[in-house]
């Protein structure tokens, strides 16, 4: 089993997340990608984050009927702050040693990884697939990996990935740049501007019906 995990606040999920997941799934031939909303995100201001249940429900609706993508409530149902290290361990135990876990993450989030709980333990546990986002570039990644993660990583320019003698690999991937963020959607909502074609229609309907982000 080649399992992809895409964690995030998903406040709300948008087409940038979904297109990224579809492209990464295909490029890395993953069996599936689980989209995992955090219960209590450790790195975000809590004020304008809607409930974990609403965020999970929007993820569920967004991936309904989409091949290879699934919503996971593993962090929402775990009490307390959501730490990625615990989520990785959970899936490692659940799927066993024959499975490979690929943690999918945007370069913006990856460049803050040194602030995550037990972040150095993440790299022996899962491969990382780091995606560019509009306005982010891989140039500085090399220094970051060597300085903050491990000097033992070796960069392979032809395949644009880092290998380590004992740990998992870090892959870099260029995806279609959809300059959409959840912040933009919340801002639109607070200005009464339409959010059509930024989120799936079914998510738009959910947000409007429940009067979220107003
Ligand atoms: P916010 O605007 O509230 O900070 P966000 O749009 O960045 O939210 P998150 O839920 O924080 O969304 O993102 C989850 C993951 O998806 C992160 O790894 C992030 O880098 C990635 N991601 C978010 N938006 C995009 C996008 N448009 N293209 C590619 N990756 C994205």
């Amino acid at each position: 089993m080649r399992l992809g995990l895409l964690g995030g606040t998903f406040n709300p999920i948008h087409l940038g997340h979904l297109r990224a997941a579809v492209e990464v799934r295909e490029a890395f031939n993953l069996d599936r990608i689980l989209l995992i909303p955090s219960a209590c995100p450790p790195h975000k201001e809590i004020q304008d984050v809607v409930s974990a249940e609403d965020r999970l429900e929007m993820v569920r609706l967004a991936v309904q009927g989409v091949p290879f993508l699934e919503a996971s409530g593993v962090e929402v149902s775990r009490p307390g702050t959501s730490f990625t290290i615990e989520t990785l361990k959970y899936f490692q135990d659940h799927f066993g040693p024959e499975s490979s876990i690929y943690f999918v993450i945007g370069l913006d989030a990856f460049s803050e990884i040194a602030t995550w709980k037990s972040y150095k333990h993440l790299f022996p546990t899962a491969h990382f697939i780091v995606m560019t986002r509009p306005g982010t570039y891989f140039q500085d990644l090399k220094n970051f990996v060597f300085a903050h993660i491990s000097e033992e990583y070796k960069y392979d320019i032809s395949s644009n990935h880092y290998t380590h003698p004992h740990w998992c690999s870090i892959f870099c991937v260029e995806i279609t740049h959809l300059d959409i963020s959840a912040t933009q959607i919340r801002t639109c909502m607070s200005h009464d501007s339409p959010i059509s074609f930024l989120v799936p229609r079914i998510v738009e309907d959910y947000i409007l019906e429940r009067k979220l982000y107003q």
Side-chain angles (χ1 to χ4, degrees):
M1 157 79 84
R2 291 165 62 80
L3 179 69
L5 306 178
L6 174 56
T9 316
F10 298 113
N11 184 39
I13 187 161
H14 53 69
L15 295 183
H17 296 127
L18 290 160
R19 181 66 206 170
V22 166
E23 290 189 15
V24 166
R25 208 289 310 162
E26 192 184 13
F28 288 84
N29 195 24
L30 303 178
D31 293 300
R32 57 182 139 141
I33 292 191
L34 305 184
L35 288 84
I36 313 171
S38 52
C40 213
H43 305 105
K44 304 248 173 173
E45 288 295 321
I46 205 79
Q47 317 142 337
D48 59 353
V49 179
V50 305
S51 78
E53 289 70 27
D54 277 329
R55 289 181 289 110
L56 175 59
E57 186 55 23
M58 289 189 278
V59 173
R60 279 206 184 107
L61 292 170
V63 300
Q64 225 171 50
V66 181
F68 311 113
L69 301 190
E70 277 175 38
S72 166
V74 66
E75 291 193 352
V76 169
S77 49
R78 195 167 65 217
T81 307
S82 301
F83 292 113
T84 298
I85 189 67
E86 289 165 21
T87 304
L88 293 185
K89 293 228 168 88
Y90 169 84
F91 283 110
Q92 207 181 29
D93 293 347
H94 197 263
F95 287 100
E98 301 82 48
S99 62
S100 314
I101 297 177
Y102 292 78
F103 192 80
V104 182
I105 183 170
L107 184 53
D108 58 315
F110 189 79
S111 56
E112 290 175 4
I113 206 156
T115 65
W116 293 18
K117 184 185 171 194
S118 311
Y119 79 97
K120 286 208 181 171
H121 296 293
L122 299 170
F123 297 92
T125 314
H127 300 290
F128 271 71
I129 299 176
V130 185
M131 318 172 282
T132 48
R133 276 184 79 170
T136 67
Y137 309 93
F138 284 128
Q139 278 97 312
D140 299 330
L141 190 62
K142 215 183 212 166
N143 289 340
F144 180 81
V145 167
F146 296 147
H148 293 283
I149 304 174
S150 165
E151 283 177 346
E152 288 190 83
Y153 272 108
K154 290 221 167 6
Y155 179 61
D156 179 58
I157 194 164
S158 61
S159 56
N160 199 10
H161 90 284
Y162 297 80
T163 52
H164 191 281
H166 314 293
W167 295 356
C168 301
S169 298
I170 302 172
F171 299 90
C172 305
V173 60
E174 290 278 350
I175 54 162
T176 304
H177 283 175
L178 294 181
D179 197 358
I180 303 174
S181 68
T183 306
Q184 177 192 2
I185 291 152
R186 296 194 301 276
T187 306
C188 285
M189 285 304 299
S190 67
H191 291 96
D192 247 343
S193 301
I195 56 168
S196 318
F197 308 111
L198 295 174
V199 299
R201 180 63 191 268
I202 196 164
V203 172
E204 180 182 352
D205 291 346
Y206 187 92
I207 291 173
L208 296 175
E209 272 160 28
R210 306 223 159 202
K211 298 188 171 37
L212 305 180
Y213 308 113
Q214 287 181 4

